[in-house]
């Protein structure tokens, strides 16, 4: 595998030239039905409509050349087959394989990476048995009653993806089963969640790959204490998902334990036991498996080299066009589905923690833009909030709309001749058009400049299968971009400094007053502590 600097790829020069005069979406008749059908791709249950991007055939051809030159698909295949992709050459780094795709490569005889797929199957079998034990009454609470609630305690990758998926799929939850999440070390987070449940019927699922994360370890202690206060035995209520061999990997402390492995990064772990245990409790085993099946379909579709046929690769290359060549620094992900309320937050982590990097795989400084700022909120709510800036602001924000033809609950309502779902989808299509084509007006305050690039991802319905598809589409978009920028998308050194400083402050607060090595009186830490005056 050859890792080339982005700026040295020959297609980059071509794309820079094209970016001087990108396609003008406001030109009369440009947005023709021919253009809409031409810039449209269907794959794995989703349609990607990208006629409203500022591109044409020449740009797409150059983006294909870029993808080919950077050997994106070859490297993606190497990743799935177990290459050590999480590394910086010549410097100490995590040196790990990147095998989140193996957590769903459980449906065929010859998986891409047999040993990790075997481990995934083994964990799934344990989960299946555990869920059956809950179902059949073999596992019950002290009063012999079934458990009705599962609370997942975890943070970052051990929270965002699983939480986004559970919220997205609540409509398919089994009756009498609910789930909740505690992530923040803010004691009010746990207090609020615990106040809303019957503890005696609650299982707590503590999820931490490292088994050492400050927030999670603290919240586990807090939850244990809550069980004891209510005269309940924590060992009958708490289960754990953790890395094999971590300090939490202690079956004696838990009702059940599940494993995840160091070759699956936290933010890519939603389809491992990190997400599947709570999802399995909520949806039942078979439905939860459909998520894996949707994700696996994308894992395979992403092997296609033609960008016009490979949806995540096309999304990646369009993102690179907007970010590196047209110069737009952020990306809004705008789901027209209330169920996807936390999906932008998950993507924010997955994208910004993966591609918010400034050094190449060889440890040199990058000389090109890497990951964009990713943000978003569901429409139509966003329309009444920040869309003003999207339409008329000075910052141009490429947008990715996500929508569904049918609602989840099937309880729709007609007002003034249209259903709510029709109103939802019509609003999404209208926003896409308005951003692209703008509107001339003699009053400058009512003028819409247009040429604000966007795409629409559309599926029939948000189901466990399409949720898995959507998750993997974005995971691979992020990985393809990181490969193209020649950065390591799989570590997160940037979160360490703040953690280390917080530990120094906590040592100072913890009692002996001297901190780890005794903080000098005039240190910035002490000055800040004096001003903030947190409770001792
Ligand atoms: C994700 C990151 C990070 C991690 C959390 C929780 O890729 O590594 O968000 O998931 O810090 O870590 P633990 O699962 O080890 O508690």
């Amino acid at each position: 595998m050859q890792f080339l600097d982005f700026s040295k790829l020959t297609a980059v020069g071509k794309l820079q030239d094209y970016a001087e005069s990108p396609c003008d979406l406001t030109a009369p008749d440009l947005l023709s039905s021919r253009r809409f059908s031409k810039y449209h791709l269907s794959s794995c249950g989703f349609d990607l409509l990208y006629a409203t991007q500022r591109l044409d055939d020449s740009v797409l051809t150059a983006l294909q050349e870029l993808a080919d030159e950077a050997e994106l698909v070859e490297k993606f295949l190497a990743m799935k087959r177990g290459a050590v992709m999480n590394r910086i050459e010549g410097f100490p780094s995590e040196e790990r394989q990147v095998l989140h795709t193996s957590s769903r490569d459980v449906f065929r005889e010859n998986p891409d990476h047999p040993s990790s797929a075997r481990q995934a199957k083994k964990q799934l079998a344990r989960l299946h048995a555990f869920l059956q034990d809950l179902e059949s009454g073999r596992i019950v609470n002290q009063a012999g009653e079934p458990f009705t609630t599962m609370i997942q305690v975890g943070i970052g990758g051990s929270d965002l993806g699983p939480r986004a998926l559970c919220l997205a799929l609540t409509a398919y939850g089994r009756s009498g089963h609910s789930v909740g999440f505690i992530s923040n070390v803010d004691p009010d987070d746990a207090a609020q969640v615990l106040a809303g449940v019957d503890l005696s019927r609650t299982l707590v699922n503590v999820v931490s790959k490292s088994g050492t994360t400050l927030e999670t370890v603290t919240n586990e202690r807090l939850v244990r204490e809550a069980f004891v206060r209510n005269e309940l035995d924590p060992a009958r209520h708490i289960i754990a998902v953790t890395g094999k061999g971590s300090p939490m990997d202690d079956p004696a402390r838990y009702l059940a334990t599940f494993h995840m492995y160091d070759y699956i990064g936290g933010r890519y772990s939603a389809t491992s036991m990190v997400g599947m245990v709570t999802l399995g409790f909520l949806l039942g085993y078979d439905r939860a498996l459909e998520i894996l099946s949707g994700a696996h379909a994308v894992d395979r579709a992403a092997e296609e080299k033609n960008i016009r046929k490979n949806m995540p690769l096309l999304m990646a290359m369009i993102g690179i066009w907007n970010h590196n060549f047209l110069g737009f620094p952020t990306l809004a992900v705008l789901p027209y589905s209330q169920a996807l309320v936390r999906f932008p937050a998950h993507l924010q982590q997955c994208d910004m923690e993966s591609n918010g990097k400034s050094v190449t795989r060889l440890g040199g400084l990058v000389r090109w833009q890497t990951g964009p700022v990713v943000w978003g909120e569901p429409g139509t709510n966003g329309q009444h909030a920040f869309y003003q800036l999207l339409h008329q602001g000075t910052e141009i924000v490429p947008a990715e709309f996500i929508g569904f033809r049918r609602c989840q609950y099937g309880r729709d309502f007609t007002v003034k001749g249209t259903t709510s779902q029709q109103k939802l989808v019509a609003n999404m299509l209208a926003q896409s058009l308005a951003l692209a084509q703008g509107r001339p007006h003699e009053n400058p305050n009512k003028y819409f400049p247009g040429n604000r690039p966007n795409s629409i991802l559309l599926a029939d319905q948000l189901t466990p299968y399409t949720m898995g598809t959507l998750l993997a589409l974005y995971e691979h978009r992020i990985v393809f971009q990181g490969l193209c920028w020649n950065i390591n998308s799989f570590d997160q050194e940037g979160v360490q400094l703040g953690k280390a400083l917080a530990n120094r402050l906590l040592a100072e607060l913890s009692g002996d007053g001297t901190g780890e090595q005794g903080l000098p009186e005039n240190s910035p830490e002490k000055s800040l502590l004096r001003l903030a005056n947190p409770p001792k």
Side-chain angles (χ1 to χ4, degrees):
M1 253 185 303
Q2 221 195 339
F3 286 98
L4 289 173
D5 269 10
F6 181 73
S7 57
K8 294 201 182 117
L9 301 170
T10 53
V12 164
K14 266 191 204 173
L15 287 158
Q16 276 164 341
D17 289 346
Y18 293 142
E20 299 283 318
S21 53
C23 156
D24 180 3
L25 298 171
T26 68
D29 303 327
L30 183 99
L31 291 173
S32 62
S33 57
R34 196 169 157 268
R35 182 175 168 94
F36 278 110
S37 5
K38 190 170 173 192
Y39 298 136
H40 165 214
L41 164 61
S42 292
S43 178
C44 304
F46 273 89
D47 291 301
L48 177 67
L49 313 181
Y50 60 102
T52 43
Q53 293 288 349
R54 298 197 68 183
L55 49 73
D56 54 21
D57 287 351
S58 324
V59 170
L60 281 173
T61 306
L63 288 172
Q64 177 73 63
E65 282 169 32
L66 185 64
D68 292 342
E69 242 186 308
E71 300 178 331
L72 299 186
V73 171
E74 289 82 349
K75 288 169 188 159
F76 173 75
L77 276 171
M79 177 190 90
K80 290 208 299 174
R81 291 174 186 156
V84 178
M85 304 294 278
N86 179 356
R87 69 190 301 240
I88 302 286
E89 253 168 66
F91 293 89
S93 57
E94 292 190 344
E95 303 289 334
R96 288 176 182 164
Q97 295 166 298
V98 176
L99 284 167
H100 47 282
T101 46
S102 71
S103 64
R104 52 251 190 172
D105 201 353
V106 293
F107 300 100
R108 51 184 181 160
E109 295 252 312
N110 296 309
D112 284 323
H113 188 262
S115 62
S116 57
R118 242 188 334 270
Q119 282 175 318
K121 276 189 176 174
K122 205 168 138 194
Q123 292 302 312
L124 280 169
R126 282 169 63 89
L127 174 62
H128 197 185
F130 176 69
L131 294 173
Q132 278 172 335
D133 284 350
L134 290 174
E135 195 70 4
S136 65
R138 274 194 294 276
I139 297 182
V140 285
N141 73 0
Q142 276 153 260
E145 300 159 325
F147 290 100
T148 57
T149 306
M150 183 175 281
I151 293 175
Q152 177 153 339
V153 175
I155 195 164
S158 296
D159 167 63
L160 287 156
R163 190 194 294 247
L165 265 59
C166 282
L167 286 170
L169 300 173
T170 304
Y172 303 91
R174 294 181 298 164
S175 101
H177 291 72
S178 64
V179 298
F181 290 84
I182 299 173
S183 56
N184 203 320
V185 77
D186 178 347
D188 292 342
D189 189 11
Q192 195 184 48
V193 173
L194 295 179
V197 299
D198 172 358
L199 265 189
S200 73
R201 308 280 296 266
T202 297
L203 284 170
V204 169
N205 176 19
V206 184
V207 182
S208 176
K209 177 176 163 183
S210 62
T212 58
T213 302
L214 168 89
E215 291 87 343
T216 305
V217 170
T218 306
N219 280 325
E220 178 180 349
R221 293 277 293 271
L222 184 152
V223 167
R224 279 185 184 274
E225 169 60 29
F227 280 118
V228 172
R229 239 188 357 262
N230 286 274
E231 291 171 10
L232 297 164
D233 175 6
R236 295 191 63 163
H237 286 262
I238 305 185
I239 64 172
V241 178
T242 192
K244 210 167 168 42
S246 92
M248 257 175 68
D249 189 9
D250 175 5
R253 276 167 62 200
Y254 301 101
L255 174 68
T257 46
F258 300 92
H259 286 138
M260 62 101 73
Y261 300 89
D262 71 358
Y263 50 72
I264 300 185
R267 54 195 174 273
Y268 295 97
S269 66
T271 52
S272 75
M273 286 302 116
V274 166
M276 287 300 282
V277 173
T278 302
L279 282 159
F281 180 84
L282 178 68
L283 305 173
Y285 183 77
D286 291 342
R287 274 249 148 106
L289 216 58
E290 290 168 23
I291 301 172
L292 302 190
S293 162
H296 178 61
V298 179
D299 298 343
R300 301 198 65 186
E303 295 175 6
E304 165 65 53
K305 281 198 178 171
N306 183 340
I307 65 168
R308 294 187 196 221
K309 293 185 181 162
N310 180 335
M311 198 176 278
L313 182 58
L314 180 59
M315 288 163 67
M317 300 322 285
I318 292 175
I320 285 177
W321 169 242
N322 283 329
H323 190 54
N324 294 90
F325 298 98
L326 301 184
F328 305 134
T330 83
L331 170 71
V333 180
L334 306 167
Y336 275 63
S337 158
Q338 190 56 30
L340 289 178
V341 62
R342 289 298 286 168
F343 191 57
H346 166 62
L347 293 183
Q348 194 170 57
Q349 175 191 34
C350 202
D351 204 324
M352 292 170 72
E353 204 164 54
S354 296
N355 290 341
K357 307 283 165 67
S358 301
V359 294
T360 68
R361 295 184 153 273
L362 299 171
L365 273 185
V366 296
R367 280 167 285 114
W368 49 92
Q369 292 300 112
T370 61
V373 172
V374 177
W375 60 285
E377 274 287 315
T380 57
N381 301 32
Q383 291 176 208
H384 298 263
F386 53 82
Y387 278 39
Q388 166 63 38
L389 184 149
L390 301 191
H391 286 286
Q392 290 185 316
T394 51
E395 195 71 71
I396 295 184
V397 182
E400 288 179 359
F401 295 98
I402 304 170
F404 302 92
R405 297 181 183 93
R406 287 187 291 134
C407 60
Q408 288 181 314
Y409 286 92
R411 283 188 235 125
D412 205 350
F413 197 65
T414 302
V415 173
K416 291 190 182 162
T418 56
T419 65
S420 297
Q421 186 65 22
Q422 287 173 322
K423 291 180 178 74
L424 181 67
V425 175
N427 265 282
M428 178 180 73
L429 303 179
Q431 291 298 329
S432 162
L433 267 184
L435 286 166
Q437 66 187 7
R439 184 187 67 182
H441 206 283
E442 63 280 2
N443 176 344
N445 202 34
K446 293 185 188 293
Y447 166 71
F448 287 71
N451 269 329
R452 308 209 157 200
N454 67 84
S455 335
I456 297 176
L457 263 178
L458 190 63
D460 280 339
Q461 196 176 32
L462 181 57
T463 60
Y465 183 90
T466 48
M467 186 64 247
T469 308
L470 189 63
L471 178 79
L473 281 174
Y474 274 95
E475 284 178 353
H476 301 338
R477 190 201 70 181
I478 292 164
V479 166
F480 280 133
Q481 289 188 337
L483 290 170
C484 196
W485 289 321
N486 194 19
I487 54 177
N488 177 6
S489 301
F490 309 108
D491 65 0
Q492 54 284 314
E493 289 299 326
V495 304
Q496 296 306 335
L497 176 60
K499 267 192 212 172
L501 283 179
N503 283 336
R504 282 161 68 100
L505 298 181
L506 288 171
E508 192 65 29
L509 288 173
S510 71
D512 62 10
T514 56
E516 262 172 86
Q517 287 138 15
L519 292 172
E521 272 311 305
N522 63 352
S523 66
E525 289 89 343
K526 272 237 165 151
S527 311
L528 266 177
L529 276 176
R530 269 194 300 272
L531 274 174
N533 191 22
K536 283 244 179 189

